[in-house]
């Protein structure tokens, strides 16, 4: 399973060092939470900061941008130009989803969709063939450190079955990512449900232990 550190609960005044700490611990898939103060009630950072991070961290790490923004269809290319390798857009915020996913992939960038906890799974099944990743939110997006919402299980299991059917038919492999409240006590269960990529924020960046100690505990739970 890929562990994608969310730097939202890291020291945002020293973002590059927080990312570097994760990279040094062996995590090279960095989950960047982009919030616009409109789609979600919080505001983080955007393309200029991502560009600066890319310059500071080099070409190695995968930048996985989770776009919690209302106008992804207008500004998505800025995120690729700034150095993102994967863009995930919220289905609740995009009108022409199929068109956008195709356009993102045509730029050589991974394309993902995100479903809020209250969003039905069917929309993901309609565009699964155009996705490199599907992200299931297990909290309402906007803040780090929230509690996991367990009723995402059925959605995840249905998507796992749909992805396996797609691959068996010769179609694209799709990463199944989860985001929100993922901790050492639930990560093994998520793997069993079919998750292949887990975003972990406060479970890695917190005051009780170092990132590498937290990661060791998570890896033991997954072993
Ligand atoms: C929530 C973000 C998440 C979140 C993860 O809106 O998309 O990436 O910050 O943080 P934890 O793991 O603390 O829930
Ligand atoms: Zn996120």
């Amino acid at each position: 399973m890929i562990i994608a550190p969310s730097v939202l609960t890291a020291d945002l005044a020293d973002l590059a060092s927080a990312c570097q700490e994760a990279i040094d611990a062996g995590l090279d898939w960095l989950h960047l939470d982009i919030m616009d103060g409109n789609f979600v009630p919080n505001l983080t950072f955007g393309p200029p900061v991502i560009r600066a991070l890319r310059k500071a961290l080099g070409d190695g790490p995968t930048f996985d941008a989770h776009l919690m923004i209302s106008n992804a269809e207008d500004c998505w290319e800025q995120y690729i130009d700034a150095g993102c390798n994967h863009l995930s857009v919220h289905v609740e915020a995009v009108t022409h989803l199929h068109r956008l996913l195709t356009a993102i992939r045509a730029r050589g960038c991974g394309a993902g969709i995100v479903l809020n906890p209250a969003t039905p799974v069917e929309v993901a099944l309609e565009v699964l063939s155009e996705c490199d990743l599907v992200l299931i939110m297990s909290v309402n997006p906007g803040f780090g450190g929230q509690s996991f919402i367990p009723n995402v299980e059925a959605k995840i299991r249905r998507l796992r079955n749909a992805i396996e059917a797609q691959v068996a038919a010769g179609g694209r492999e799709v990463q199944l990512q989860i985001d929100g409240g993922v901790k050492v006590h639930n990560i093994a269960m998520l793997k069993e449900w079919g998750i292949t990529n887990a975003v972990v924020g406060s479970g890695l960046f917190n005051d009780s232990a170092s990132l590498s100690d937290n990661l060791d505990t998570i890896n033991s739970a997954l072993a």
Side-chain angles (χ1 to χ4, degrees), residues 6 31 33 66 68 135 137 179 199:
S6 159
H31 183 81
D33 284 309
H66 173 191
M68 287 164 272
L135 166 52
M137 291 307 300
D179 187 2
V199 176

Side-chain angles (χ1 to χ4, degrees), residues 73-148:
E73 283 168 293
D74 300 329
C75 65
W76 60 275
E77 286 199 276
Q78 292 180 38
Y79 291 88
I80 298 179
D81 295 340
C84 292
N85 309 97
H86 278 257
L87 297 186
S88 294
V89 297
H90 269 265
V91 302
E92 304 86 3
V94 173
T95 307
H96 303 293
L97 192 54
H98 184 281
R99 176 186 290 155
L100 179 57
L101 293 169
T102 309
I104 292 171
R105 299 194 82 255
R107 283 278 323 256
C109 183
I113 57 171
V114 194
L115 273 63
N116 275 337
T119 301
V121 70
E122 279 72 17
V123 63
L125 305 178
E126 296 296 334
V127 290
L128 199 59
S129 60
E130 309 307 315
C131 292
D132 297 292
L133 181 149
V134 176
L135 166 52
I136 300 300
M137 291 307 300
S138 40
V139 297
N140 291 294
F143 305 96
Q146 302 182 82
S147 297
F148 183 81

